[in-house]
Amino acid sequence: MSGPYLIRGSVSLPEAELIWRFSRSSGPGGQHVNTSDSQVELRFDLARTEALPQVWKERALQRLAGRLVDGVVSVRASEHRSQWRNRETAAVRLASLLAEATAPPPKPRRPTRIPRGINERRLREKKQRSDTKRGRTGRDWG
């Protein structure tokens, strides 16, 4: 495995708290397919971890509530034929999921008014377009 997976800043996924499970991947394969456990399931106990700051942890628990099973978030990877590459993919996927879930909420939008000049120009252009279309009617062609 290639080093610690950063979530954000200096906070990273602790290797000791990651739970790995391997199984046979579905789909096409070759001679090696029936003997290798290449599918990877990575589980991380979000509710009991001490690696995340408390604020991040609460935010992540709230945002990932639909994905959690007893406070544990799990990620699967089976795109690659090699278990090692699937492990890399699963760890990166988990790190990005946690980075997104622990991100601070966006700043609230400040409502702004449309400038009067812009609104007047829009209405003037609508009026011109209306006059153009009205001029195309065949009423006075008789």
Side-chain angles (χ1 to χ4, degrees), residues 124-134 136:
R124 190 170 53 247
E125 287 171 359
K126 278 182 71 163
K127 182 77 172 147
Q128 285 174 352
R129 185 78 178 144
S130 168
D131 292 342
T132 302
K133 288 191 169 192
R134 191 179 299 125
R136 292 180 186 156

Side-chain angles (χ1 to χ4, degrees), residues 27-55:
Q31 294 173 332
H32 195 54
V33 73
N34 294 327
T35 58
S36 61
D37 292 339
S38 60
Q39 178 173 289
V40 174
E41 182 181 354
L42 174 59
R43 299 165 58 96
F44 180 66
D45 196 344
L46 188 59
R48 293 186 189 86
T49 186
E50 296 298 322
L52 298 176
Q54 190 61 31
V55 178

